[in-house]
Amino acid sequence: MTRKLYLETFGCQMNVLDSELVMSQLRAQGYEAVADRAAADVVIFNTCSVREHAEQKVWSRLGELREAKADRPDMVIGVIGCMAEREGESIFTRFPHIDILCGPGELDQLPRMVHNACTTSVAPSEGGAGSATVGSPRQVALMGSTTRRSSTYETAKEDNLESLDLARTVSPSDNMRQAYVRITRGCNKFCTYCVVPFTRGPEVHRPPGNIVEEVKMLVGAGALEVTLLGQTINHYIFDHGGGRKTTFADLLYLIHESVPDLPRLRFVTSFPRDFTDLALQAMRDCPRICRYLHVPAQSGSDRILKAMNRGYTAEQYTDFVDRARAMMPDISLASDFIVGFPTETDDDFASTMELVRHCRFKNSFIFKYSPRPGTVAIDRFEDDVPDAVKRSRNNQLLALQGEVCASNNRLMIGKTVEVMVEGESKLVSKRAYPPAKVTLGWEARQGLPAGEAVSLTQLIGRTRGDQVVCFDGERSLKGELLNVEIVDARNLTLFGRRVPMHVAKV
Ligand code: SAH
Ligand code: SF4
Ligand code: F3S
């Protein structure tokens, strides 16, 4: 019997990739993905714990399912990912109707767990510890609850989790043009505010050979852009034994050389302290590596950076930015900031504003500090910056970043850039279909019979520097690499038009 599966993903790119890997395994076992939660036999939430808000969304989804589960006790509900790991079995106190709980470090076990939950029935009277839900016994796999945390734990788990990445299958019919590839799991940094080292476990680096094979497989299936993933990706180092090591810079060169048909190679997220000149040189020397770095600063105040355990000063951060720009003047930089970290004063915040002015980021993701259970910061500091102050600092930083972005964007006018077409612009896709038939101007008419009216819509594309460009084109262009000339820059958005010739992709 084919069971219908609904999988909803929250959180970062790691979770997006985990969902894809899990889905590919479950599909192979006969589960059919559906977009309508109400029609599903199995509902899985792949969750994020990074801020309270991220968890609240999942709590409210689980609340919505309470009644549905009462009506259909055979429906299987799974919570996987970082929130499953962070909450642990205490989640059952609030939501006894959950059947599956699986942390991100145990996802190789998920197909078996889903199968068990779907096929094993437990009468209500049998419910007890570990099997209280009507319909199926609970399936639990958490890193924190396992006894396998020995010195060989990481090695053993790496092999099991590695199998999840290695089992990935993509066929040309999936029409996948952009793909993620994990190179590192977990994080060892223990920034005082952050749950990730607790939910994803210690850093484990994947063997370079497996990474290259995966990239080749994706490119063979049609991928034009591969983004390598890691929480502190530039900290990658693989120890082959016998003194031989592959560094992050080596890995970049290796992929660039081994997969010459890949037009775009990117990576996120970088840790400021770990950037070697060799890694920057690899970016400079390899024309198909996008000159884009997401390298979160978090704060511009040395005192706050210390309290966050980030391991660098604001000056070291700006030195890094200056070094990167000196080597690649066209590099595009993005950052993350936390405002309202405990004890943050107006002066500390002014230093953050100063850092943004200096670094001229393409964009910044700005978050209000959210105290997270289990972290050092929640124990060590009172959450003493009032919410109104956090909000005001958030808005001020956003406004400054907006000004920086607008002035960066104005410098783009007149330039021709390569974009990867990602789809329709949100503004447009909200409008009624079909879009009006229009007669194209010369620039959009390339390859079409002269004067012919076709359906055009506003598309968005992403440059190699990760800027978003809106331009008119046919919907079928999704997934293509094209050249557009930037003709306007309004607020935070670049506007372009297609150009006829195909300039070199590099
Ligand atoms: N590994 C990445 C970031 C992972 S989490 C890095 O270290 O750069 C993504 C972002 O969420 C972080 O960069 C940080 O800005 C934000 N974040 C993490 N924990 C947070 C918390 N407790 N409150 C608010 N923002 C947080
Ligand atoms: Fe969290 Fe810091 Fe690790 Fe990033 S580097 S995942 S912020 S602990
Ligand atoms: Fe969230 Fe886990 Fe990613 S906490 S940000 S899903 S690593």
Side-chain angles (χ1 to χ4, degrees):
M1 162 192 166
T2 305
R3 289 198 173 79
K4 295 193 164 70
L5 173 79
Y6 173 87
L7 172 62
E8 187 173 358
T9 308
F10 301 84
C12 65
Q13 295 103 326
M14 278 290 177
N15 263 15
V16 173
L17 176 58
D18 280 342
S19 286
E20 187 195 322
L21 298 179
V22 156
M23 196 50 126
S24 127
Q25 294 229 322
L26 288 170
R27 270 213 196 99
Q29 293 195 0
Y31 293 86
E32 180 200 343
V34 291
D36 177 12
R37 197 176 73 190
D41 305 301
V42 182
V43 174
I44 298 179
F45 298 116
N46 191 4
T47 60
C48 172
S49 264
V50 81
R51 285 167 292 278
E52 197 187 344
H53 183 64
E55 292 197 345
Q56 275 164 356
K57 287 191 216 162
V58 176
W59 289 125
S60 84
R61 296 286 198 284
L62 289 170
E64 288 159 21
L65 282 180
R66 224 189 273 267
E67 268 181 37
K69 177 80 174 180
D71 289 347
R72 287 176 49 204
D74 59 327
M75 177 173 69
V76 168
I77 301 178
V79 176
I80 66 172
C82 290
M83 188 174 159
E85 187 65 47
R86 199 197 66 69
E87 274 286 325
E89 297 192 46
S90 66
I91 203 165
F92 297 130
T93 322
R94 206 161 149 189
F95 286 101
H97 56 294
I98 295 170
D99 304 289
I100 297 170
L101 191 63
C102 182
E106 308 289 325
L107 288 174
D108 53 300
Q109 302 191 47
L110 190 69
R112 176 184 57 76
M113 294 166 81
V114 174
H115 177 75
N116 287 350
C118 289
T119 52
T120 328
S121 249
V122 171
S125 57
E126 289 174 52
S131 59
T133 322
V134 177
S136 62
R138 277 183 190 148
Q139 307 287 316
V140 178
L142 302 170
M143 198 168 55
S145 69
T146 177
T147 50
R148 285 178 294 164
R149 243 186 207 283
S150 65
S151 55
T152 57
Y153 173 80
E154 282 82 7
T155 334
K157 278 315 293 171
E158 192 215 352
D159 290 338
N160 290 344
L161 266 187
E162 188 65 22
S163 66
L164 197 66
D165 295 80
L166 289 178
R168 183 177 197 180
T169 51
V170 181
S171 75
S173 63
D174 292 336
N175 200 22
M176 178 186 280
R177 299 304 179 94
Q178 294 171 294
Y180 292 132
V181 171
R182 188 185 342 252
I183 69 164
T184 298
R185 303 191 179 90
C187 179
N188 288 350
K189 298 286 190 222
F190 289 94
C191 302
T192 55
Y193 50 81
C194 184
V195 293
V196 175
F198 304 99
T199 62
R200 296 255 168 197
E203 204 174 66
V204 177
H205 306 289
R206 295 187 62 207
N210 292 5
I211 297 169
V212 169
E213 283 313 305
E214 195 172 331
V215 175
K216 277 188 184 162
M217 185 271 290
L218 291 161
V219 172
L224 297 175
E225 179 179 284
V226 167
T227 304
L228 307 176
L229 297 184
Q231 292 297 344
T232 54
I233 195 156
N234 49 336
H235 197 236
Y236 175 90
I237 184 153
F238 188 82
D239 192 344
H240 298 263
R244 197 163 78 82
K245 291 192 169 132
T246 299
T247 64
F248 182 58
D250 296 335
L251 181 71
L252 290 179
Y253 282 117
L254 181 68
I255 299 174
H256 194 261
E257 278 161 27
S258 317
V259 200
D261 295 338
L262 173 65
R264 283 184 172 196
L265 178 63
R266 310 177 168 284
F267 55 89
V268 287
T269 308
S270 300
F271 193 75
R273 199 181 55 195
D274 294 330
F275 243 110
T276 61
D277 276 338
L278 287 174
L280 289 173
Q281 278 162 20
M283 288 182 78
R284 183 197 59 195
D285 296 347
C286 300
R288 286 172 292 105
I289 299 180
C290 296
R291 292 187 174 181
Y292 165 70
L293 287 179
H294 182 189
V295 54
Q298 311 297 1
S299 170
S301 152
D302 290 347
R303 198 180 61 80
I304 296 294
L305 286 168
K306 192 150 192 266
M308 289 175 163
N309 191 31
R310 289 289 288 182
Y312 52 85
T313 61
E315 190 182 352
Q316 284 169 326
Y317 184 92
T318 50
D319 281 352
F320 158 72
V321 165
D322 296 345
R323 195 154 51 97
R325 284 234 163 89
M327 226 182 257
M328 292 168 279
D330 57 345
I331 196 158
S332 169
L333 300 167
S335 183
D336 293 357
F337 290 95
I338 297 178
V339 292
F341 188 81
T343 77
E344 186 187 66
T345 62
D346 286 343
D347 280 352
D348 292 319
F349 178 65
S351 308
T352 299
M353 296 280 276
E354 194 42 49
L355 185 116
V356 170
R357 270 186 213 104
H358 180 94
C359 296
R360 308 193 58 73
F361 298 110
K362 173 200 72 101
N363 73 303
S364 293
F365 299 93
I366 302 165
F367 308 104
K368 292 189 292 175
Y369 170 67
S370 168
R372 306 308 295 134
T375 60
V376 168
I378 198 170
D379 288 337
R380 191 176 290 171
F381 309 107
E382 191 192 332
D383 180 19
D384 60 354
V385 179
D387 196 54
V389 175
K390 285 183 185 166
R391 220 173 317 132
S392 150
R393 288 181 187 162
N394 193 330
N395 291 341
Q396 288 175 65
L397 199 53
L398 214 54
L400 173 61
Q401 177 59 57
E403 283 168 30
V404 171
C405 175
S407 92
N408 288 346
N409 279 354
R410 279 194 294 276
L411 297 175
M412 299 282 293
I413 295 177
K415 290 191 175 154
T416 293
V417 289
E418 179 204 78
V419 295
M420 154 69 75
V421 186
E422 294 195 339
E424 289 173 61
S425 113
K426 276 204 184 113
L427 259 180
V428 172
S429 52
K430 276 190 195 144
R431 287 189 209 141
Y433 283 112
K437 288 231 170 195
V438 292
T439 304
L440 304 184
W442 70 268
E443 68 276 6
R445 216 169 40 224
Q446 298 310 306
L448 293 170
E452 183 150 317
V454 291
S455 282
L456 266 199
T457 187
Q458 192 175 52
L459 300 171
I460 58 160
R462 215 168 269 273
T463 68
R464 299 177 72 83
D466 203 51
Q467 291 114 327
V468 171
V469 184
C470 292
F471 62 100
D472 288 343
E474 303 115 82
R475 252 182 262 164
S476 58
L477 291 172
K478 184 170 175 210
E480 302 275 318
L481 284 173
L482 316 166
N483 291 311
V484 295
E485 182 190 351
I486 305 299
V487 291
D488 199 1
R490 269 177 268 148
N491 301 324
L492 306 182
T493 315
L494 293 169
F495 292 87
R497 66 177 169 202
R498 282 185 71 184
V499 293
M501 71 290 186
H502 212 83
V503 292
K505 278 179 186 146
V506 293

